[in-house]
Amino acid sequence: MPRKFIVGGNFKLNGSQSSLKTLVEGLNQGNLDSNVEIVVSPPFVYLDQVRKAVRKDVAVAGQNCYSKSSGAFTGEVAPEMLKDIGIEWVILGHSERREIFKEADDEIGLKVAHALKAGLKVMACIGEKLEEREADKTTEVVVRQLAAIAKHVSDWTNVVIAYEPVWAIGTGKVATPDQAQEVHKNIRAWLKENVSAEVAEATRIMYGGSVNGGNAATLAKEEDIDGFLVGGASLKPEFVTICNAKAKM
């Protein structure tokens, strides 16, 4: 079966009740491609507001969660809590979590496993830094991060991989379609060799890294790019254009 295109909007640490009300109204009024799965991810404190206000064909994701269900873990949010308020998705392993908050590969793998067990769908992020790409270590880094997730996953049905080259996140630099396709193809080949051909064929691989309304349609043409995880542009009206990028083909 063809893989359904998916677009995620990661609002990061941005927004207010007022600004997110306006953003959601824009989505609700937008002419969105019905063949695309769309997920938006506001900060934790606005999850319930957005979930209740956004159109029913747009899902909502947490930007992170912990690997425990409860306990003395001040400041953390359990995946069960996200499920309890009707959240369907969570983003895990984002480069900002890895770099700023020092989340290690295996910790991210444990988070993915627990989120899946709790019934959430997961966008699992991987990607290399600029110095790693320049040292020809892109595949090595991406495979290391992916393997740390894969060893904790027995059922890939609810996992989407998000390849986000760190050097392209929020910098205005974008991997060329050929660069992105090459890494996506290598990810799929690794899944085929190390998990199964069925999982490799079925698992969606998103691209993230300065995706905008101007470059989305070109990137969407690549065979192994199954969607986008969008940062800054998800806060702008052009997010609707990105969501409809596949329809332009």
Side-chain angles (χ1 to χ4, degrees), residues 22-163:
T22 301
L23 193 155
V24 167
E25 286 172 351
L27 274 178
N28 289 348
Q29 294 164 12
N31 184 19
L32 298 175
D33 185 349
S34 60
N35 294 313
V36 174
E37 186 169 4
I38 301 169
V39 185
V40 294
S41 187
F44 282 128
V45 295
Y46 303 122
L47 282 171
D48 198 46
Q49 173 192 340
V50 171
R51 183 192 64 79
K52 289 175 177 175
V54 77
R55 54 197 287 175
K56 298 307 177 189
D57 55 348
V58 174
V60 180
Q63 294 179 15
N64 184 36
C65 67
Y66 196 46
S67 57
K68 303 289 184 184
S69 303
S70 63
F73 305 107
T74 300
E76 293 293 342
V77 172
E80 290 85 353
M81 294 174 177
L82 297 178
K83 283 287 291 183
D84 189 43
I85 61 167
I87 303 305
E88 300 176 51
W89 286 85
V90 67
I91 300 170
L92 292 172
H94 193 280
S95 65
E96 289 153 8
R97 300 298 312 174
R98 294 175 184 268
E99 291 299 308
I100 300 170
F101 300 99
K102 309 304 178 187
E103 290 187 5
D105 292 344
D106 200 54
E107 179 184 359
I108 292 162
L110 290 170
K111 285 186 171 190
V112 170
H114 190 68
L116 291 171
K117 184 180 178 182
L120 289 176
K121 300 173 187 176
V122 175
M123 295 179 190
C125 303
I126 57 177
E128 84 284 5
K129 293 182 279 191
L130 181 59
E131 58 267 30
E132 293 166 336
R133 172 166 280 274
E134 291 177 339
D136 252 351
K137 293 184 176 180
T138 294
T139 301
E140 176 186 332
V141 171
V142 167
V143 163
R144 186 198 76 225
Q145 295 171 340
L146 183 56
I149 292 167
K151 73 178 183 179
H152 294 286
V153 178
S154 56
D155 182 352
W156 288 78
T157 306
N158 291 323
V159 179
V160 174
I161 296 167
Y163 167 61

Side-chain angles (χ1 to χ4, degrees), residues 143-193:
V143 163
R144 186 198 76 225
Q145 295 171 340
L146 183 56
I149 292 167
K151 73 178 183 179
H152 294 286
V153 178
S154 56
D155 182 352
W156 288 78
T157 306
N158 291 323
V159 179
V160 174
I161 296 167
Y163 167 61
E164 295 196 299
V166 180
W167 49 272
I169 298 175
T171 62
K173 298 178 181 179
V174 186
T176 66
D178 286 346
Q179 286 175 321
Q181 167 60 20
E182 180 184 17
V183 179
H184 282 230
K185 183 178 179 181
N186 289 341
I187 291 169
R188 206 172 301 284
W190 188 91
L191 288 172
K192 183 177 181 179
E193 183 176 343

Side-chain angles (χ1 to χ4, degrees), residues 208-222:
S210 297
V211 175
N212 58 49
N215 58 36
T218 304
L219 288 161
K221 293 177 182 177
E222 297 297 329

Side-chain angles (χ1 to χ4, degrees), residues 5 7 33 36 212-213 215-218 220-221 228 239-249:
F5 207 75
V7 177
D33 185 349
V36 174
N212 58 49
N215 58 36
T218 304
K221 293 177 182 177
F228 303 120
F239 185 59
V240 171
T241 303
I242 298 169
C243 290
N244 292 336
K246 197 74 172 174
K248 294 182 178 181
M249 293 172 56

